[in-house]
Amino acid sequence: MKVSFAGAVADSAYAHVQSVLRPAIVNHSVRVWLVADHLGRKQGLEESEREALAVACLFHDAGTADAYDGPQRFEVEGADAASDFLSEYDWPAPLVQQVWEAIALHTSPGIAERMGTLPRLVRLGVLADFGATDLPGTDDRRLSASLARFPRMDIETVLGDAVVEQALRCPEKAPKSSWPGGLLAARLADPGHTGVSPAF
């Protein structure tokens, strides 16, 4: 599905994640961007921040890709991948740091929301895409129509399985107190379970 982001760097980021991520995760990342951008524009987000937000949304689950399956939590691997990607462009270091933080913290409830505009918007976009219905500003007919263009493709199962598959190979990627840790614990407790993890 053709989609245009907030600048040439973000468009390149989209092409890149399409080449490394599972289609369901790409679609999820675009939906997160659509929600986060919708909320950001309502708050008067500047154009440079808007493009940075797009990159953060597109890379927020990049750590689940085989290309970025390193020893750290998938959130940190994705944040590092985005920073490496942005190193090819002349972006100010504080903006790159905001992208890193938004990705690294997106599974950290109560923290991401207080770490600045980009982490908060990425977190809200993720929550909205996974069913939160109490977020002000997301009940919008045009937004809903845009989201519907990117099918879910069992994202809850696909994403959960991707995180668990990495953690089974490298348990250090899933500390007990983390979201990956919860997913791994649920799989180890019920290895035959299929579908959406009860810990998702």
Side-chain angles (χ1 to χ4, degrees), residues 42-99:
K42 282 179 172 290
Q43 298 167 20
L45 203 64
E46 294 181 4
E47 285 304 306
S48 61
E49 289 183 302
R50 189 170 172 240
E51 186 168 23
L53 177 62
V55 173
C57 291
L58 291 167
F59 269 90
H60 85 276
D61 284 334
T64 63
D66 290 343
Y68 301 122
D69 184 9
Q72 305 172 98
R73 287 172 52 167
F74 87 96
E75 304 97 325
V76 176
E77 295 292 351
D80 287 349
S83 291
D84 289 345
F85 174 84
L86 289 173
S87 70
E88 301 177 17
Y89 302 93
D90 188 25
W91 276 31
L95 197 58
V96 175
Q97 180 65 22
Q98 288 179 50
V99 171

Side-chain angles (χ1 to χ4, degrees), residues 2 43 48 63 75 102-103 148-149 182 184:
K2 177 68 175 173
Q43 298 167 20
S48 61
E75 304 97 325
I103 298 168
R149 294 169 54 211
L184 177 60

Side-chain angles (χ1 to χ4, degrees), residues 161-176:
D161 286 351
V163 172
V164 169
E165 286 164 11
Q166 289 187 350
L168 287 170
R169 293 191 297 271
C170 181
E172 292 77 13
K173 292 174 70 71
K176 289 183 179 179

